[in-house]
Amino acid sequence: MKSKQTLEAAPTVVPAHVGIIMDGNGRWATARRLPRAAGHRAGVKNITPVVSCALDYGVKCVTLYAFSSENKNRPEDEVNALVDLIRKRLKPMTRDLIKRGARIAFSGDTSYFPDDVRAIMRDVESENADGIAKTVNIALNYGGRAEIIRAAAMAARDGEVTQAAFEKHLYTAGLPDPDVIVRTGGEKRLSNFLLYQAAYSELFFTDTLWPDFDGAELTAMLKEFAMRHRRFGKV
Ligand code: IPE
Ligand code: IPE
Ligand code: MG
């Protein structure tokens, strides 16, 4: 992954925060005549290499869209397979990322998940050391609209609905807005991902299905990011 060649091609302007909509697991499996759950397993295996590549470039935060609030409406056996993957793979996967110097955070309404899965999430968060500068933020049962409504309600309860008071209640409080949002799997939409935070994100779409996405393609996107002219409304 971190070959000499890709490092030499390292982009010059590195985004602080990269969001990834990891789409296409189901189609990856169907193309191989495998059950959709096999695609989700392949997708989980692909997380550590791609995230490690981003962290190696100096990206400070990666947010992974792993399970949307709407994904709960999939057939029960697929939802169960996804929850079971979190149960079995979250700890080993995050252990690798923690070893690479990241802390793990979660965005979303995690109260949805069974107690044993929530205990695993708490365990993973408790392994976070103080003073860690890199964050891998995993969006689980996450929906951008619900996040906005929740933060607005909390700010209203505090009696202060200013931008700063509102942003304090976002799941991503303390993290920079995503500079880059990557969506794999060919669809060109956000599907309720970081709706508020994506106001000025640079968007990258690829037809590559998530289990096939790799460090070389991420590198190409980061290089293109470095060439883009971000104006933020100015001239
Ligand atoms: C993304 O892959 C993973 C989740 C949404 C959990 P999909 O499962 O949406 O895969 P496709 O889009 O059906 O191929
Ligand atoms: C977005 O993918 C959610 C995740 C990747 C976790 P979906 O497959 O759920 O999005 P839609 O349904 O194509 O918009
Ligand atoms: Mg999909």
Side-chain angles (χ1 to χ4, degrees):
M1 172 71 33
K2 202 178 119 180
S3 73
K4 194 159 178 282
Q5 211 171 10
T6 53
L7 269 185
E8 274 165 8
T12 47
V13 180
V14 177
H17 184 174
V18 173
I20 308 181
I21 303 173
M22 306 182 290
D23 195 24
N25 295 346
R27 280 164 284 163
W28 183 93
T30 304
R32 287 163 180 73
R33 299 171 190 268
L34 295 169
R36 289 177 61 85
H40 295 312
R41 282 196 295 275
V44 169
K45 279 206 190 108
N46 200 36
I47 290 176
T48 304
V50 173
V51 173
S52 302
C53 177
L55 298 177
D56 287 345
Y57 283 133
V59 171
K60 293 270 187 299
C61 176
V62 178
T63 294
L64 300 167
Y65 203 10
F67 186 81
S68 78
S69 44
E70 288 74 28
N71 290 153
K72 292 197 292 288
N73 304 323
R74 292 187 176 193
E76 199 184 333
D77 63 338
E78 182 164 349
V79 174
N80 288 341
L82 285 164
V83 173
D84 210 43
L85 254 182
I86 301 170
R87 182 179 281 120
K88 298 206 170 97
R89 301 308 310 158
L90 184 66
K91 233 180 190 164
M93 182 192 94
T94 52
R95 196 171 296 134
D96 277 355
L97 295 170
I98 289 168
K99 265 194 218 140
R100 289 167 192 266
R103 72 177 187 103
I104 309 298
F106 297 100
S107 286
D109 179 10
T110 52
S111 70
Y112 163 76
F113 295 102
D115 286 348
D116 66 318
V117 172
R118 292 167 70 189
I120 294 169
M121 292 176 191
R122 276 197 302 276
D123 266 12
V124 162
E125 281 175 313
S126 73
E127 285 178 41
N128 290 335
D130 287 338
I132 300 289
K134 294 177 187 175
T135 303
V136 177
N137 180 35
I138 308 174
L140 287 172
N141 192 28
Y142 172 87
R145 286 181 172 174
E147 178 188 40
I148 290 168
I149 291 163
R150 172 182 175 272
M154 289 167 107
R157 191 202 53 201
D158 296 347
E160 199 195 354
V161 191
T162 58
Q163 183 169 333
F166 169 84
E167 287 178 356
K168 238 177 29 201
H169 295 297
L170 293 172
Y171 292 119
T172 54
L175 299 175
D177 285 341
D179 303 290
V180 167
I181 292 181
V182 175
R183 182 173 186 141
T184 63
E187 313 294 358
K188 294 182 180 65
R189 54 180 173 252
L190 289 176
S191 300
N192 210 8
F193 184 55
L194 300 179
L195 296 184
Y196 178 87
Q197 297 88 335
Y200 276 99
S201 302
E202 296 295 326
L203 307 179
F204 290 81
F205 299 100
T206 171
D207 288 338
T208 306
L209 304 173
W210 170 251
D212 292 329
F213 186 80
D214 62 10
E217 203 169 353
L218 180 70
T219 301
M221 287 176 177
L222 296 183
K223 282 174 78 177
E224 190 194 324
F225 170 79
M227 312 278 287
R228 287 200 189 176
H229 183 203
R230 304 179 82 192
R231 281 182 290 278
F232 300 97
K234 299 171 192 162
V235 287

